[in-house]
Amino acid sequence: MSFALNLFHAAELEGHMLGEGALGGAELAAKLASGTGDIKARLKRVLADPAGQRALFASLRAFAPNLATDKTLVTAYPCDGTVIVSRADDVREVLDRQGDFEVVYEPKMRKITGGANFFLGMQDGADYQRDTSIMRLAAQRDDVANIVVPLAREAARRIVADHATTIDVPDVLTTVVPALMVQRYFGIDTASVADLREWATAMFWYLFVDLQGDPDVEQKALDCAPKCLAAIDAAIARTQADPDGPATVLKRAIALRDAGTGGFDGSGIRNNMIGLVIGAIPTISKACVQALDGLLDRPDVLARTQAAAAHGDEQAVGCAVFEALRFNPVNPVIYRRAVRDCEIASGTLRACRVKKGAMVLASNLSAMFDPAAVDDPDAFRTDRPWDVYILWGYGLHRCFGDAINRAIIPALLTPLLAGAPLARAGGDAGHPDSATPFPQHFTVTR
Ligand code: HEM
């Protein structure tokens, strides 16, 4: 994966600091020593694994918390040099300083929509505030409890009942339920589940995961984008023709526009809906898969979580699932580009100059393991305060689906966890596949 590749380069550059003395350094050194092949191959393997990433970041926090290099690791966006930020305070500082560290996604967003930007690609300002405000009126907080969770619970219950002994989790459950949410709650009911997940995955991969600018990844995304936009246009037409249809995000966006009180005009609805579609499906699925994988690695926690699920205790399931995700989040870094020459962690021993144009990789994974910010970070605990978790961004651009994610992931996994003890299927099938950045297969049995 691109992320592992980037860290691989970073670690190669700074190989001198991987010595004994700090826990992370010792762990990383041991992992590297035990592998086969040359050092590059070993590093690549170690960093493809979340435990290897955690060990690297432990080293960085100890020896080079803000590591600046002239090497450009992200080639998909214009930038000059790289800074890797690993301490919790500094990660939050970077993501709080919109004026100094900008989001970079705009050019790709414009290619997806065929012209317009989407709010994740915008800096803070009038356009960003207008678009997010409209979308928050269209996608209301109460909808999570009133529409999204019942829908997810019921769909997951039905799917799990249909796969009583063996279930390929992403294929039949964790991509399907968010796609149903896109159809029935967002209102893009003119596209099939299969189409939605294919389009959303291709576009998400291109926009956020492909840091090297792979032309094949771009081509696939740009093939999918017009199909998804056409489906949204068809859904807009269908919704307008059916005023008695169910409440959906799309229906509310249309009503806001028609009220003439400052809703989206032109292709605004379409361009904002595609942003939501892209964000929702591969992310929720990957989070569910990685959380379940983490629970299966911890039999005691799995047994306790299954007991909670058997009582329908989604809150307790959530505590275990989000803690599992802390060890293996969907995205381990969030990246920003420096708008000007500036400094982070000013006034501390780790103060670091950042030159204009540098890509700043703020590691939320590392922040969640920083002993300066998190009690007993290496322990798996289900009683952590929620603000420890940076699972889907932080600051201005924190995930628009925040409340949805927090509710839908436990709701979706509870029916699966509620039955007989779960186990991995034999062989490779019992582990999430890594053919793409988004697991497509991972079979569990009971
Ligand atoms: C577990 C599932 C999810 C994960 C891991 C995730 C991850 C993220 C992350 C890391 C960001 C911030 C990116 C940055 O700051 O550069 C973000 C923002 C965003 N996400 Fe999610 N996301 C998830 C689910 C969703 C869902 C369900 C939706 C749609 C409802 C969504 C829509 C968005 C949007 C629109 C933004 C931009 C917010 C802004 O710019 O203000 N995401 N997400």
Side-chain angles (χ1 to χ4, degrees), residues 105 118 120 128 186 279 283 331 336 392-393 396-397 399-400 405:
Y105 315 114
F118 169 72
L120 180 49
Y128 175 87
F186 292 1
T283 47
N331 60 304
R336 296 286 187 268
W392 30 79
L396 183 78
H397 291 283
C399 182
F400 187 84
N405 304 339

Side-chain angles (χ1 to χ4, degrees), residues 379-396:
F380 190 103
R381 283 174 36 178
T382 53
D383 61 348
R384 297 192 183 278
W386 180 246
D387 62 7
V388 159
Y389 296 104
I390 311 180
L391 297 174
W392 30 79
Y394 172 83
L396 183 78

